[in-house]
Amino acid sequence: MHRARGGAPVTEPITRPGKIIAIHLSYASRADQRGRRPAAPSYFFKPASSVGVSGGTVERPAGTELLAFEGEIALVIGTAARHVSLADAWDHVGAVTASNDLGLYDLRANDKGSNVRSKGGDGYTPLGPELIDARTVDPAALRVRTWVNGELRQDDTTAGLIFPLAQLVADLSQHFTLEPGDVILTGTPAGSSVIVPGDVVEVEVDAPDAPGAPSSGRLVTTVTQGEVPFDRDLGSLPAVDDLQRTEAWGSREEAGLPPEEDTPTLTPELRSQLLEAPTAGLSAQLRKRGHLSCFIDGVSANLPGTKIVGTAKTLRFVPFREDLFRSHGGGYNAQKRAFDAVAEGEVIVIEARGDATTGTLGDILALRAQNRGAAGVVTDGGVRDFDAVAEIGLPVFSQGAHPSVLGRKHVPWDVDVTISCGGATVQPGDIIVGDGDGVIVIPPALAAEVAADAIAQEVEDAWIAEQVAAGHPVDGLFPLNAEWRARYEQATGAGKDQR
């Protein structure tokens, strides 16, 4: 690392920082792209062995596809900082330079939030090439730009930060001492995307409005292809899904994925209608429309009298196999990811191949789902801690209790994919309705008309029940023939267009 352009030498060359601290989300443009804006900064560490230099290479490991660049402003601590105020924090920054916070999304799910493996690879933190004296620039007027193969991909300034640079220094100093030479990676703006072997990435940080327009120069990194595969017997293996592809590329379109289907949402009004209509009536309406395979068979509620309505979030278990459980059963596996990510009003639907001889969730995961606002859980397997889950109050439809732990019959494999549960095919976003009669699956596009017709049928059935209670025979009354239909419409004011 060299003397800053237009500035004085401010630190020793960066070769092996004591600490590298990176922030998860800091730019408004990136947060808006991700659809979530944090209320406070959160961080992760990167190993010092990940430092690289301009002109170096970075390897995309064998068997992976989602190596992504993130052009960032790096702060180099000049003097030790511990419990410093926001007003004094910038005085402890010695220099500013360019960085590329490279990450491998194939390993992201395995180290939720910590990014130990996904961002800790050798050369995954190139820095430089030159230092800008922090005393010569306004931290609110820095710019970061990134080019891939000469094409500008990122262009933003620190005016677009959610958290000012000085805040990061002051915040971190509350928790531990920032020492001279430590590096803070301050986040990336929108535009980060996937790079492939042969691509050349350049990152530059500058202060265009400062005297002399000091610059870090362009930090150049070339992507190469690795040849050594990961050993499946040593730890979890790379795995990707459409969510990781979308976030790595920046959008479904960039990832080459088809647009998500524009299906009707489960509005409060529709949810209310589905809660009112019994599953028997809903299933009858589905059968009228040719949907005969809508039943999740063999499951019953842990809470008598309960009813659930929600959109499906799916979780798939595959049959137990020792090597696959070693690679997919531990750590932040698919089961934990599903319960950690379930949204308010969703129903977690679990494919357990109808095997009731092992549990597919227990009280801890049930508590997590309840805290997330899940509408319930449906599994064609068993439930561990059955009484405790019931006491939590989360509605769960299952094949009953079983005391086993994960790993007896199942390997947690994937989330948000099409699954089979109790003989029914369930896709993410399908509408799930369950009550004392069982659980059914409703295609979202049919839900509104099925609910309306089921409620209308309930009104009709209630009138029919009154006539039967009055002593009329069911012949011609159930279902209504033409004569009884006329009587019904005259008595209730109902017409064909209202049914």
Side-chain angles (χ1 to χ4, degrees), residues 411-437:
V411 179
W413 194 254
D414 208 353
V415 298
D416 298 329
V417 294
T418 301
I419 64 169
S420 169
C421 183
T425 297
V426 183
Q427 293 191 297
D430 280 348
I431 293 177
I432 306 298
V433 182
D435 62 16
D437 282 344

Side-chain angles (χ1 to χ4, degrees), residues 130-206:
E130 300 181 12
L131 298 172
I132 302 171
D133 187 343
R135 296 168 297 179
T136 67
V137 295
D138 178 357
L142 295 171
R143 178 173 63 175
V144 57
R145 292 177 292 174
T146 307
W147 296 260
V148 178
N149 301 327
E151 178 185 352
L152 184 64
R153 296 289 189 86
Q154 292 182 295
D155 187 354
D156 210 336
T157 71
T158 47
L161 285 170
I162 302 171
F163 312 109
L165 298 181
Q167 181 181 343
L168 307 184
V169 177
D171 181 26
L172 289 168
S173 79
Q174 297 183 94
H175 305 286
F176 47 77
T177 300
L178 295 170
E179 299 171 316
D182 285 350
V183 171
I184 302 174
L185 306 183
T186 61
T188 197
S192 165
S193 192
V194 172
I195 45 179
V196 299
D199 283 348
V200 177
V201 184
E202 299 173 273
V203 184
E204 181 180 9
V205 170
D206 65 353

Side-chain angles (χ1 to χ4, degrees), residues 46 66-70 100-106 117-120 124 248:
K46 298 190 74 172
L66 299 179
L67 177 65
F69 68 86
E70 294 183 9
N100 190 346
D101 182 19
L102 292 149
L104 192 64
Y105 279 70
D106 306 66
R117 288 171 285 188
S118 63
K119 284 180 171 283
Y124 276 36

